[in-house]
Amino acid sequence: MKQRVSALLREKLGREVVLEKPRDRSFGHFATPIAFSLAKELKKSPMLIAEELANSFHDSEEFASVESVKGYLNFRLSEGFLAEYASWALKNPSDFAKGEKNQKILLEFVSANPTGPLHIGHARGAVYGDTLYRLAKHLGYDITAEYYVNDAGNQIDLLGLSIQLYARENILKESVEYPEAYYRGEYLEELANGAQEKFGVEIFTNESRQKELAMWAKDKVMEIIVSTLADTNIHFDTFVNESGLYDDWDRVMKKMGANVYEKEGKLWISSQTKGDDHDRVVVREDGRPTYLAGDIVYHNQKFERGYEHYINIWGADHHGYIPRVNAAIDFLGYDSNKLEVLLSQMVSLLKDGEPYKMSKRAGNVILMSDIIDEIGADALRFIFASKKSDTALEFDLAEFKKEDSSNPIFYIQYAHARIKTMLSKASVAKDDITNASLKNLGENADMLLFDALLLPEVVEDAFTSRQVQKLPEYLKSLAASLHKFYYDVKIIGTEDEAKLLKLLCVVALSLKTGLSLMGIAAKDKMTKEEE
RNA sequence: GCGUUCGUAGCUCAGCUGGAUAGAGCACUGGUUUGCGGUACCAGCGGUCAGGGGUUCGAAUCCCUUCGGGCGCACCA
């Protein structure tokens, strides 16, 4: 819709024009302050320019009116244009708001270490990534969702050790001394029991079998992670294991040429020449690779797979890491501008106004699965998708357990369910609704129809700006328009029933499509949960 | 200290490719259609958009600066 209007303006003026939705509905559907910018060039008053432009649109069929007001140009789309678009959408519901981009994108997100279950911080990145993924898919991008599994290095050794310590204390009833760093949490019990069954208790006391235990355990942890993600409707296309990448090590190092050098018995990359604070070690004196080493091979592999664009979602605490990875990509001979790193910020939780208690059994982190148990996956997704991902967020769980308009996910679902209920009570035939005209609906209905048809613009905008919160914001406001319309206008049993129901079908389509892009299924009925 | 990011209503947050009177929910006050789910709707209250300067016809939005908070500054991940 907006694209169409933009295109018309571009044609007429020979330049890109800023189009906005006027705050005040009485100004029409779209508006542009273009006359102000033109005023200087043309040495004429904005009012005059706007006036002339308005007149020049007189006979276009897309617009019911084009008016100039105080230098602004206000457009009102014609009923015919809106009606035609809406009818098309209802006939092709699965194509609604779809796009035809076909850029090949690799999106890497979550990538939490397989050393423990996902916590609330991971959840935010997971939801953000998956929402972007859904939006991109819908827009036609050829996008791949990838999880990078850090299954090599210290943290894996630590996992083996932690299970041994846990088992020796809790299963073998030995008294053990814990080192400074080790993992804790309820999941260790599950792992220890599983290991006992599989290997026998000997695995817990034999230090040389720590690695074997760890390798088994990290796969188990991945299973836990994948199942938590699945509970949230998040699925990955590919998993890449760090441990499988090192075969390529020599070749990749050679690729970086003179940008790798040896000093003090270690291997460094000269990332400082690319704006990093200092050069970084990639191989330690004892020959063990650093974390960065894995990322270098991984990113080399990514670029060799040949995507047009790369997106990584990282926790914001890793933002200092960006320059060195960019440097490595450049050294490998690729364009680091193709890599876009998006950050997902910290989350702090409240429950009834009090800081959410981190349970000891969970290891003093808030588990993602616990939050799903408390408020459900839909609410979890909605919260995280609703806020800009790169700003810190604090929210109260209690708000999402309520069943009224203060709970946005509930509010939107209710709007959808209301429409479905009405359709089931319709006194006219289905065909009458499908064939009804959407013209002469009146001002209010017209605006509601327009609102419902805005989804395509929102989807496109939300993805290209990487600001997924635009989608839930839009759905909230569409739901509000629907509830208000419902209150103002009687539908069933009136003369206009068929056409009004058709209008509601468009709203329902928009809500349902929007929700599904957030990984949430629209409800046809609201059922009260009994406590 | 350096880098980065944020500072919008009492609270949680939108708005930030610069544009017409600064928005929503919560909280607080009051109201609502014989009409289809009141699980909804409407109204009131509440803001020097952290402070200061600059660019512009126009700044919450862009630039500079001060203050305040987060995060980072490993051969940890």
Side-chain angles (χ1 to χ4, degrees):
Chain A
M1 224 160 36
K2 190 173 175 180
Q3 281 92 331
R4 186 75 175 276
V5 177
S6 278
L8 284 169
L9 281 172
R10 205 179 310 123
E11 206 175 292
K12 185 136 285 182
L13 296 165
R15 65 162 75 193
E16 274 308 317
V17 172
V18 177
L19 259 195
E20 56 188 31
K21 261 178 63 190
R23 205 164 302 158
D24 188 334
R25 280 305 172 79
S26 65
F27 287 138
H29 295 127
F30 291 110
T32 174
I34 184 68
F36 290 99
S37 339
L38 289 173
K40 201 173 257 178
E41 294 173 35
L42 302 178
K43 302 213 161 64
K44 279 201 281 195
S45 93
M47 322 262 208
L48 216 65
I49 297 170
E51 194 63 40
E52 286 171 17
L53 281 173
N55 287 331
S56 75
F57 279 100
H58 259 343
D59 39 60
S60 63
E61 58 185 48
E62 284 85 355
F63 303 116
S65 72
V66 181
E67 293 171 336
S68 80
V69 181
K70 292 192 294 188
Y72 291 87
L73 211 50
N74 298 332
F75 301 88
R76 188 177 300 279
L77 295 166
S78 71
E79 285 198 312
F81 178 74
L82 290 173
E84 198 183 314
Y85 186 36
S87 297
W88 171 84
L90 288 177
K91 267 185 215 136
N92 306 280
S94 55
D95 284 337
F96 182 47
K98 277 211 168 150
E100 293 178 345
K101 322 266 179 194
N102 45 32
Q103 194 185 29
K104 241 183 121 184
I105 301 178
L106 181 65
L107 171 67
E108 183 218 324
F109 62 111
V110 185
S111 296
N113 290 340
T115 53
L118 297 175
H119 58 65
I120 194 73
H122 296 131
R124 190 176 192 184
V127 169
Y128 182 46
D130 185 65
T131 310
L132 280 176
Y133 177 71
R134 285 166 186 270
L135 290 170
K137 274 253 151 133
H138 203 73
L139 288 167
Y141 289 95
D142 179 3
I143 189 168
T144 302
E146 183 157 292
Y147 190 122
Y148 175 51
V149 186
N150 288 114
D151 60 347
N154 279 338
Q155 76 279 5
I156 293 296
D157 299 338
L158 217 50
L159 175 65
L161 175 66
S162 303
I163 297 170
Q164 289 188 328
L165 290 171
Y166 177 90
R168 283 169 50 201
E169 182 172 20
N170 296 287
I171 296 177
L172 305 174
K173 307 292 178 197
E174 296 175 15
S175 72
V176 293
E177 259 178 54
Y178 284 97
E180 227 171 274
Y182 67 99
Y183 297 113
R184 61 211 89 180
E186 199 173 53
Y187 72 103
L188 287 176
E189 181 183 344
E190 191 182 330
L191 291 176
N193 289 335
Q196 184 180 5
E197 208 168 296
K198 171 138 181 109
F199 303 104
V201 291
E202 195 264 342
I203 192 105
F204 299 134
T205 49
N206 189 339
E207 206 170 308
S208 66
R209 295 188 68 188
Q210 203 183 81
K211 185 87 186 167
E212 184 189 353
L213 176 60
M215 293 316 279
W216 169 84
K218 60 113 179 160
D219 288 339
K220 290 284 162 204
V221 174
M222 273 315 286
E223 281 172 24
I224 297 173
I225 289 176
V226 166
S227 111
T228 302
L229 289 170
D231 289 343
T232 324
N233 229 347
I234 296 173
H235 304 275
F236 284 85
D237 298 314
T238 50
F239 291 83
V240 172
N241 287 333
E242 182 187 2
S243 58
L245 292 171
Y246 287 102
D247 295 345
D248 230 10
W249 179 249
D250 293 339
R251 189 177 65 85
V252 174
M253 282 298 112
K254 229 171 254 162
K255 223 169 154 179
M256 294 206 287
N259 298 298
V260 187
Y261 63 92
E262 212 182 312
K263 196 177 96 187
E264 298 159 5
K266 306 161 209 170
L267 221 51
W268 304 67
I269 60 167
S270 50
S271 54
Q272 195 170 9
T273 62
K274 292 281 182 184
D276 197 2
D277 293 340
H278 32 259
D279 289 356
R280 306 287 169 177
V281 173
V282 287
V283 180
R284 303 174 178 96
E285 243 170 322
D286 60 10
R288 283 157 50 235
T290 62
Y291 183 79
L292 179 61
D295 250 334
I296 291 174
V297 209
Y298 176 41
H299 280 87
N300 177 64
Q301 190 243 38
K302 276 188 179 179
F303 275 81
E304 283 182 351
R305 282 152 67 197
Y307 290 84
E308 290 163 78
H309 191 70
Y310 301 83
I311 302 176
N312 289 358
I313 297 177
W314 287 351
D317 53 341
H318 286 56
H319 75 260
Y321 197 76
I322 298 172
R324 72 191 78 163
V325 170
N326 278 336
I329 291 170
D330 287 336
F331 293 157
L332 288 163
Y334 301 109
D335 180 4
S336 62
N337 290 315
K338 285 189 179 172
L339 174 68
E340 176 185 0
V341 179
L342 302 174
L343 300 175
S344 121
Q345 265 287 3
M346 314 258 308
V347 180
S348 42
L349 272 189
L350 299 175
K351 191 173 179 179
D352 302 314
E354 299 292 316
Y356 190 86
K357 277 191 223 98
M358 295 186 282
S359 60
K360 256 219 189 91
R361 79 168 171 76
N364 279 334
V365 294
I366 301 172
L367 294 182
M368 180 170 169
S369 53
D370 283 351
I371 303 305
I372 296 173
D373 290 344
E374 287 243 20
I375 61 174
D378 288 356
L380 175 78
R381 290 196 67 124
F382 197 90
I383 296 161
F384 287 148
S386 302
K387 313 294 176 191
K388 277 187 295 202
S389 73
D390 60 351
T391 56
L393 160 70
E394 181 178 289
F395 77 96
D396 196 321
L397 286 180
E399 191 187 332
F400 290 85
K401 296 176 97 167
K402 289 193 210 156
E403 301 196 338
D404 58 38
S405 61
S406 69
N407 178 349
I409 180 67
F410 185 85
Y411 185 71
I412 295 165
Q413 292 284 22
Y414 181 40
H416 186 262
R418 258 192 159 163
I419 295 172
K420 291 295 168 183
T421 310
M422 260 194 285
L423 287 169
S424 70
K425 290 185 177 165
S427 62
V428 292
K430 228 179 173 180
D431 282 355
D432 292 343
I433 298 174
T434 332
N435 298 323
S437 154
L438 283 171
K439 292 190 184 174
N440 302 313
L441 287 167
E443 183 90 0
N444 285 340
D446 221 52
M447 268 303 173
L448 181 61
L449 178 61
F450 174 72
D451 283 347
L453 293 175
L454 273 176
L455 182 72
E457 280 81 35
V458 175
V459 171
E460 167 113 31
D461 186 26
F463 180 74
T464 53
S465 66
R466 317 294 193 232
Q467 306 279 304
V468 300
Q469 78 278 4
K470 288 171 193 274
L471 180 56
E473 282 293 320
Y474 164 75
L475 293 175
K476 269 194 274 185
S477 87
L478 179 56
S481 304
L482 183 275
H483 286 307
K484 179 163 171 49
F485 187 76
Y486 179 91
Y487 182 84
D488 289 340
V489 181
K490 187 186 173 187
I491 294 165
I492 306 274
T494 64
E495 216 174 290
D496 286 335
E497 179 173 340
K499 56 164 71 169
L500 290 175
L501 285 175
K502 183 169 181 180
L503 162 65
L504 294 194
C505 286
V506 181
V507 177
L509 173 63
S510 197
L511 289 173
K512 186 174 183 171
T513 308
L515 283 173
S516 81
L517 289 170
M518 295 180 68
I520 298 172
K523 290 185 179 163
D524 292 351
K525 216 182 263 174
M526 303 305 288
T527 42
K528 262 215 182 238
E529 262 182 52
E530 59 272 37
E531 301 261 325

